[in-house]
Amino acid sequence: MDHYKCHVCEKQGLHNQFFKNYYTLARHFERVHFLCGDPQCLAARFVVFDNEIDLRAHEIEVHGHRGASGDTKIQLQFQIRGATQERSNR
């Protein structure tokens, strides 16, 4: 019986992430990671990244995608937790 493993999860140290077919693995890629949505990459399969920065770099380098204004900027969002928040989350 064939099964698929998530190479991104493996790289992150999450072993034994098995999927019954590529369709379920692709759904996992879409929900948990950053799957390239370009038709060429979707056909090639497994073109998925563990963060948005790597996906955007791939899109620019491989597909020539640029922002609406023609630049290569990406939007970053950060959340900073204070010391009290950190202790209450433990």
Side-chain angles (χ1 to χ4, degrees), residues 13-90:
L14 299 170
H15 303 287
N16 301 318
Q17 300 287 318
F18 296 103
F19 301 87
K20 66 180 178 180
N21 53 40
Y22 184 78
Y23 175 77
T24 57
L25 177 60
R27 283 188 18 215
H28 166 78
F29 287 159
E30 290 172 346
R31 285 187 302 223
V32 179
H33 305 299
F34 295 86
L35 179 66
C36 180
D38 185 88
Q40 181 181 15
C41 287
L42 290 174
R45 298 180 163 192
F46 301 103
V47 183
V48 62
F49 303 89
D50 56 356
N51 62 66
E52 187 176 6
I53 293 172
D54 289 343
L55 170 61
R56 298 296 172 232
H58 162 82
E59 289 174 336
I60 291 166
E61 183 179 320
V62 175
H63 306 297
H65 293 189
R66 301 194 181 275
S69 62
D71 62 17
T72 58
K73 295 178 185 173
I74 62 171
Q75 182 177 350
L76 299 177
Q77 294 179 347
F78 293 95
Q79 273 188 323
I80 300 173
R81 289 194 259 184
T84 26
Q85 254 186 320
E86 185 69 31
R87 276 187 292 245
S88 67
N89 289 337
R90 289 184 185 176

